[in-house]
Amino acid sequence: MEYEGAFSGNRLEDFTLATRLVTELWEPELPLASNLANVSALLKQCLGRANWVGFYLMNGQGSQLVLGPFQGLPACTRILVGKGVCGTAAATRKTQLVPDVHEFPGHISCDGASLSEMVVPIIRRDSVLGVLDIDSPEKARFDTVDQEWLERVVQELVKLWPVAWPGW
Ligand code: SME
């Protein structure tokens, strides 16, 4: 499949296609990092107007999120659970939809261009596996339609995630 030009700009069509591609592209025999790298690229291409799309993965102790596969500028490598938008999503186990990052207390800035952000926690049974983090250089880039879709994508990822986890 040729991915360039795969997305039409019709959000619901694009979301449906991207959800299917997430599953189709996933190769269970590959390291998790390989698969998440492709998911980052696919989501960034599908969403548009996003400058950073990627994953932070929970460490073995459940205390820190560690930088995983992403698309965008180099980013901070460790985020304590409870800190920043990512750590808040992990601690509360709730998606953080942030229309203006400058209004979010404790927001951690990795790319100064980012103005809005969404972070979806990745939860399997009782464990937080990590978070999906998406930044945009536009204020209020993401809405609840994006949120519902990305939460469904994350549910698909949980089904694909290696059973033996943690363990990069
Ligand atoms: N803004 C995030 C940090 C990660 S970067 O956006 C890639 C936060 O506040 O947790």
Side-chain angles (χ1 to χ4, degrees), residues 69-106:
F70 68 94
Q71 294 258 314
L73 289 184
C76 52
T77 51
R78 295 162 194 273
I79 298 174
L80 288 175
V81 170
K83 299 290 179 190
V85 186
C86 292
T88 301
T92 60
R93 300 173 174 232
K94 296 258 181 286
T95 297
Q96 303 296 304
L97 182 53
V98 183
D100 181 348
V101 297
H102 299 302
E103 301 287 320
F104 189 97

Side-chain angles (χ1 to χ4, degrees), residues 52 56 75-76 79 84-86 107-108 110 117 133 135:
W52 204 95
Y56 281 89
C76 52
I79 298 174
V85 186
C86 292
H107 166 258
I108 300 162
C110 292
E117 181 164 6
D133 181 16
D135 288 12

Side-chain angles (χ1 to χ4, degrees), residues 115-137:
L115 293 182
S116 61
E117 181 164 6
M118 173 149 48
V119 181
V120 182
I122 306 169
I123 300 167
R124 181 166 62 193
R125 295 186 287 277
D126 266 352
S127 303
V128 179
L129 302 170
V131 300
L132 167 63
D133 181 16
I134 301 177
D135 288 12
S136 172

